[in-house]
Amino acid sequence: MSQLSVDPLSATPSPVSPLIEAEGLGLTLSGHQILHDVDFSLAPGEIVTVVGPNGSGKTTLLRVLIGAERPDTGRITRAPGLRIGYVPQRLAVDRTMPITVDRFLALAGGTPAARAGALERTGIAGLGGRQLAALSGGQFQRALLAHAVLREPQLLVLDEPAQGLDQPGEARLYGLVAELRAEIGCAVLMVSHDLHVVMAASDRVICLNGHVCCEGTPLVVSAAPEYRALFGHGTHGALALYRHDHDHGHEHGHEDGHDHDHGHGHGHHHGHSHGHERPESNSGPGTPA
Ligand SMILES: Nc1ncnc2c1ncn2[C@@H]1O[C@H](COP(=O)(O)OP(=O)(O)OP(=O)(O)O)[C@@H](O)[C@H]1O
């Protein structure tokens, strides 16, 4: 479906320029090709989730798209002055270095009122004086979100924002992400391993395995052969794959009770039949506003 805006002067619908548009992205690190031939486009207000096996390049793609990593090939166009709020995959807080939530937010700038507003928005009002290292997992992820929304971003980039949370906590966090999108009007680009969440909260899903295996609405992707080759059949595929891979050597206390799918799908499927279901406004070259 194409995204249109109405020009108040002419009252004629006009296509909305993408926030980020990229073509033919490729990146090799330490002699390993991490990404190749990746095309990408993100419209204002859209929620796009990247799924893929461990090591498939999801974090790297996010870093390339926000400009933290330079691709070897391809081109990226970002809307001029694009304000991005970023929650990285890992942020370790050293308990020996005390820092309160409010001081942490202050690192991103903003007035005390703006910081209080960000805490309010993310459901942790009143925790500003708490030590960052003393927060629960869910509170910590919310503090990271508060940091990311402080400057009213046009784009929120979230790399597994619900990691370490139990299922209800995960559902609440993604509910919050949807609320923030509605309130701020920002687009959201995130990495997630939870297909249920993807189905509920995303406008579009990109299945990545070094390249874009398939993309489209959650329903289209979950039925795509490329997706199923990676994650297996049924809605538990993605979750089970992730849980299994992360079950050894990590202390995820909440994982008991989940089915473990030992059919890894690590024979990475490189068939290129793109089940693309792109919004029309994303398919052509555009000059971002
Ligand atoms: N700076 C680097 N130098 C060399 N290899 C790297 C570097 N960064 C990432 N890689 C490799 O690139 C591959 C993709 O990593 P990336 O973190 O993007 O995957 P991912 O899909 O986000 O994985 P996960 O689901 O486990 O978080 C991995 O094999 C990783 O070891």
Side-chain angles (χ1 to χ4, degrees):
M1 214 206 294
S2 99
Q3 301 226 5
L4 297 175
S5 71
V6 176
D7 177 345
L9 291 179
S10 65
T12 308
S14 60
V16 172
S17 300
L19 296 178
I20 300 183
E21 192 168 45
E23 208 176 274
L25 296 180
L27 179 62
T28 296
L29 293 171
S30 309
H32 297 284
Q33 191 177 50
I34 313 295
L35 299 172
H36 65 94
D37 304 311
V38 176
D39 296 343
F40 176 86
S41 184
L42 183 71
E46 209 184 1
I47 297 188
V48 172
T49 301
V50 181
V51 299
N54 294 126
S56 58
K58 302 179 297 295
T59 293
T60 306
L61 176 61
L62 258 50
R63 287 173 51 78
V64 166
L65 291 171
I66 66 174
E69 194 93 50
R70 185 188 287 270
D72 300 326
T73 60
R75 63 162 191 94
I76 304 178
T77 312
R78 296 182 198 89
L82 180 64
R83 293 188 309 282
I84 300 176
Y86 178 48
V87 173
Q89 185 174 24
R90 284 182 198 87
L91 185 70
V93 179
D94 188 342
R95 285 179 182 265
T96 62
M97 193 188 73
I99 180 169
T100 63
V101 173
D102 192 55
R103 288 285 300 157
F104 171 65
L105 292 194
L107 297 176
T111 62
R115 299 203 288 274
L119 292 177
E120 176 94 32
R121 256 183 182 159
T122 50
I124 50 171
L127 290 189
R130 184 81 62 91
Q131 288 295 318
L132 205 52
L135 298 180
S136 73
Q139 290 167 343
F140 183 70
Q141 293 305 116
R142 282 164 189 262
L144 294 183
L145 263 181
H147 185 270
V149 299
L150 199 56
R151 288 169 170 270
E152 301 276 328
Q154 294 158 281
L155 169 60
L156 259 183
V157 177
L158 312 173
D159 197 342
E160 293 191 49
Q163 62 186 280
L165 304 187
D166 58 17
Q167 287 245 312
E170 202 173 26
R172 280 196 297 273
L173 193 87
Y174 284 109
L176 174 61
V177 169
E179 278 171 30
L180 289 171
R181 188 262 294 253
E183 256 181 53
I184 304 172
C186 58
V188 180
L189 171 62
M190 60 185 167
V191 168
S192 174
H193 284 272
D194 191 328
L195 187 64
H196 292 103
V197 168
V198 169
M199 296 293 268
S202 305
D203 300 320
R204 189 156 55 96
V205 176
I206 293 174
C207 183
L208 190 75
N209 194 17
H211 66 284
V212 177
C213 299
C214 56
E215 70 176 294
T217 61
L219 267 179
V220 165
V221 167
S222 62
E226 294 86 353
Y227 175 86
R228 292 187 168 214
L230 288 172
F231 288 115
H233 292 261
T235 52
H236 290 283
L239 195 56
L241 177 74
Y242 177 65
R243 291 282 149 94
H244 176 79
D245 282 347
H246 280 247
D247 209 28
H248 309 286
H250 294 253
E251 58 290 277
H252 284 196
H254 60 278
E255 292 187 354
D256 294 336
H258 289 286
D259 289 334
H260 284 230
D261 180 356
H262 287 254
H264 277 225
H266 273 305
H268 289 176
H269 182 83
H270 286 279
H272 260 275
S273 99
H274 287 249
H276 284 211
E277 221 207 20
R278 293 187 156 211
E280 264 171 47
S281 60
N282 289 349
S283 59
T287 312

PDB file of all heavy atoms in Angstrom, residues 92-99 133:
ATOM      1  N   ALA A  92      26.360  -2.640  28.562  1.00  0.00           N
ATOM      2  CA  ALA A  92      26.720  -3.146  29.888  1.00  0.00           C
ATOM      3  C   ALA A  92      26.928  -1.961  30.822  1.00  0.00           C
ATOM      4  O   ALA A  92      27.590  -0.996  30.465  1.00  0.00           O
ATOM      5  CB  ALA A  92      27.986  -3.985  29.797  1.00  0.00           C
ATOM      6  N   VAL A  93      26.317  -2.033  31.975  1.00  0.00           N
ATOM      7  CA  VAL A  93      26.517  -0.972  32.957  1.00  0.00           C
ATOM      8  C   VAL A  93      27.378  -1.531  34.075  1.00  0.00           C
ATOM      9  O   VAL A  93      27.030  -2.522  34.718  1.00  0.00           O
ATOM     10  CB  VAL A  93      25.170  -0.486  33.532  1.00  0.00           C
ATOM     11  CG1 VAL A  93      25.414   0.602  34.558  1.00  0.00           C
ATOM     12  CG2 VAL A  93      24.289   0.030  32.421  1.00  0.00           C
ATOM     13  N   ASP A  94      28.502  -0.901  34.253  1.00  0.00           N
ATOM     14  CA  ASP A  94      29.420  -1.332  35.311  1.00  0.00           C
ATOM     15  C   ASP A  94      28.874  -0.873  36.657  1.00  0.00           C
ATOM     16  O   ASP A  94      28.710   0.312  36.903  1.00  0.00           O
ATOM     17  CB  ASP A  94      30.795  -0.694  35.029  1.00  0.00           C
ATOM     18  CG  ASP A  94      31.866  -1.246  35.957  1.00  0.00           C
ATOM     19  OD1 ASP A  94      31.495  -1.823  37.004  1.00  0.00           O
ATOM     20  OD2 ASP A  94      33.049  -1.099  35.623  1.00  0.00           O
ATOM     21  N   ARG A  95      28.605  -1.844  37.504  1.00  0.00           N
ATOM     22  CA  ARG A  95      28.010  -1.506  38.805  1.00  0.00           C
ATOM     23  C   ARG A  95      28.957  -0.703  39.687  1.00  0.00           C
ATOM     24  O   ARG A  95      28.538  -0.098  40.662  1.00  0.00           O
ATOM     25  CB  ARG A  95      27.587  -2.783  39.537  1.00  0.00           C
ATOM     26  CG  ARG A  95      26.319  -3.371  38.952  1.00  0.00           C
ATOM     27  CD  ARG A  95      25.923  -4.659  39.673  1.00  0.00           C
ATOM     28  NE  ARG A  95      24.722  -5.201  39.045  1.00  0.00           N
ATOM     29  CZ  ARG A  95      23.491  -4.973  39.471  1.00  0.00           C
ATOM     30  NH1 ARG A  95      23.288  -4.208  40.522  1.00  0.00           N
ATOM     31  NH2 ARG A  95      22.460  -5.492  38.847  1.00  0.00           N
ATOM     32  N   THR A  96      30.236  -0.729  39.344  1.00  0.00           N
ATOM     33  CA  THR A  96      31.180   0.046  40.163  1.00  0.00           C
ATOM     34  C   THR A  96      31.211   1.518  39.745  1.00  0.00           C
ATOM     35  O   THR A  96      31.861   2.329  40.388  1.00  0.00           O
ATOM     36  CB  THR A  96      32.611  -0.525  40.047  1.00  0.00           C
ATOM     37  OG1 THR A  96      33.020  -0.421  38.681  1.00  0.00           O
ATOM     38  CG2 THR A  96      32.674  -1.959  40.518  1.00  0.00           C
ATOM     39  N   MET A  97      30.533   1.841  38.625  1.00  0.00           N
ATOM     40  CA  MET A  97      30.489   3.237  38.200  1.00  0.00           C
ATOM     41  C   MET A  97      29.057   3.749  38.362  1.00  0.00           C
ATOM     42  O   MET A  97      28.219   3.560  37.494  1.00  0.00           O
ATOM     43  CB  MET A  97      30.915   3.369  36.733  1.00  0.00           C
ATOM     44  CG  MET A  97      31.184   4.815  36.331  1.00  0.00           C
ATOM     45  SD  MET A  97      31.440   4.977  34.571  1.00  0.00           S
ATOM     46  CE  MET A  97      29.788   4.756  33.951  1.00  0.00           C
ATOM     47  N   PRO A  98      28.780   4.385  39.477  1.00  0.00           N
ATOM     48  CA  PRO A  98      27.406   4.794  39.727  1.00  0.00           C
ATOM     49  C   PRO A  98      26.935   5.883  38.776  1.00  0.00           C
ATOM     50  O   PRO A  98      27.672   6.832  38.509  1.00  0.00           O
ATOM     51  CB  PRO A  98      27.439   5.307  41.173  1.00  0.00           C
ATOM     52  CG  PRO A  98      28.858   5.454  41.552  1.00  0.00           C
ATOM     53  CD  PRO A  98      29.718   4.801  40.525  1.00  0.00           C
ATOM     54  N   ILE A  99      25.745   5.688  38.255  1.00  0.00           N
ATOM     55  CA  ILE A  99      25.122   6.733  37.431  1.00  0.00           C
ATOM     56  C   ILE A  99      23.608   6.567  37.555  1.00  0.00           C
ATOM     57  O   ILE A  99      23.086   5.450  37.413  1.00  0.00           O
ATOM     58  CB  ILE A  99      25.595   6.678  35.954  1.00  0.00           C
ATOM     59  CG1 ILE A  99      24.916   7.781  35.143  1.00  0.00           C
ATOM     60  CG2 ILE A  99      25.357   5.322  35.321  1.00  0.00           C
ATOM     61  CD1 ILE A  99      25.510   7.988  33.756  1.00  0.00           C
ATOM     62  N   ALA A 133      22.303   0.727  37.368  1.00  0.00           N
ATOM     63  CA  ALA A 133      22.664  -0.682  37.586  1.00  0.00           C
ATOM     64  C   ALA A 133      21.686  -1.396  38.521  1.00  0.00           C
ATOM     65  O   ALA A 133      21.709  -2.618  38.615  1.00  0.00           O
ATOM     66  CB  ALA A 133      24.083  -0.772  38.152  1.00  0.00           C
TER      67      ALA A 133
END
